Amino acid sequence: DVVMTQSPLSLPVTLGQPASFSCRSSQSLVHSDGNTYLNWFHQRPGQSPRRLIYMVSNRDPGVPDRFSGSGSGTDFTLKISRVEAEDVGIYYCMQGTHWPLTFGGGTKVEIK
Amino acid sequence: HVQLQESGPGLVKPSGTLSLTCAVSGGSINSKKWWGWVRQPPGKGLEWIGEIHHSGSTNYNPSLKRRVTILVDKSKNQFSLNLRHVTAADTAVYYCSREYFFWGQGTLVTVSS
């Protein structure tokens, strides 16, 4: 199985400031079709996950443009340009290139 | 706008079978999409269980494969999850999803006698 490792585990952030999270995979996420199936999700307490980013850098409909994804191969990053109060929660990366699909352990974001 | 709703018993006895259904509204289960199940033990992260295509093709997590069956019921526009021989380690919130973009609200299933 592909192991997804996220860092940091916890990230205290200041409202209005940027934030950045890392996700690394144990093997390349480049699919044989040339695409890289790396997704980012946000989960608030008691809520279902919400996908923010698919295929590394594509924002899902309705996702604010302060969220951006980047990376390639085995190293990926999610950035928030200016953190807002609603951004608290846990962020998970998930790879969809290799079966079984696997999630990272998550990065918990809280306001300082 | 596609909506998903999980349903099923909230309590299952050890060694029994966990059976959940995901009702799909606002869209057809016959669309060329993958329909999946993900679970989350209390206070822990997300675990992919498996998925089914409208054609009937399935992919399962090898860690659960011997115990899991996912089926589509086109007549009821829903899909289901069966997990056999459950233990306390299967206690979790179970989510259904369409291609990990649309998600149900989740349902807590507790395995206990």
Side-chain angles (χ1 to χ4, degrees):
Chain A
D1 298 4
V2 176
V3 177
M4 305 296 289
T5 302
Q6 290 187 243
S7 61
L9 290 179
S10 178
L11 184 62
V13 297
T14 301
L15 292 175
Q17 293 301 303
S20 178
F21 327 118
S22 171
C23 175
R24 291 185 173 176
S25 57
S26 60
Q27 58 184 276
S28 174
L29 298 186
V30 180
H31 194 274
S32 56
D33 65 10
N35 293 316
T36 300
Y37 296 98
L38 186 283
N39 306 297
W40 287 96
F41 296 86
H42 176 219
Q43 186 179 36
R44 297 190 182 99
Q47 294 189 14
S48 306
R50 175 196 183 192
R51 197 177 70 188
L52 303 174
I53 301 286
Y54 65 96
M55 290 172 61
V56 181
S57 60
N58 298 278
R59 269 191 306 274
D60 273 296
V63 175
D65 62 6
R66 65 178 182 274
F67 290 92
S68 63
S70 63
S72 63
T74 61
D75 288 342
F76 304 93
T77 302
L78 177 69
K79 293 182 179 178
I80 309 175
S81 59
R82 295 174 306 281
V83 172
E84 298 190 5
E86 64 182 22
D87 300 336
V88 297
I90 302 177
Y91 291 80
Y92 295 97
C93 58
M94 184 198 87
Q95 66 83 19
T97 298
H98 306 283
W99 283 304
L101 310 187
T102 48
F103 290 90
T107 292
K108 185 174 183 179
V109 171
E110 49 195 10
I111 305 299
K112 283 182 183 176
Chain B
H1 182 69
V2 174
Q3 292 186 305
L4 304 168
Q5 179 67 59
E6 305 90 350
S7 61
L11 181 64
V12 181
K13 287 183 165 47
S15 78
T17 297
L18 181 159
S19 296
L20 296 175
T21 297
C22 181
V24 179
S25 58
S28 172
I29 198 93
N30 274 324
S31 58
K32 296 179 181 179
K33 304 291 185 183
W34 287 93
W35 304 88
W37 289 95
V38 172
R39 71 180 183 178
Q40 185 170 36
K44 296 188 177 181
L46 300 166
E47 179 183 26
W48 179 74
I49 299 171
E51 60 191 7
I52 187 166
H53 194 254
H54 84 290
S55 63
S57 297
T58 53
N59 296 302
Y60 296 128
N61 192 325
S63 68
L64 301 170
K65 187 174 182 178
R66 292 184 179 181
R67 302 193 288 132
V68 171
T69 303
I70 298 175
L71 297 172
V72 163
D73 186 336
K74 295 179 181 180
S75 67
K76 294 182 178 179
N77 212 42
Q78 64 186 30
F79 62 110
S80 63
L81 169 70
N82 276 357
L83 181 64
R84 299 173 291 280
H85 308 302
V86 296
T87 69
D90 295 310
T91 293
V93 175
Y94 286 76
Y95 297 99
C96 61
S97 174
R98 194 189 87 170
E99 297 204 334
Y100 314 104
F101 176 68
F102 293 108
W103 292 72
Q105 65 185 23
T107 186
L108 174 64
V109 180
T110 301
V111 179
S112 174
S113 55

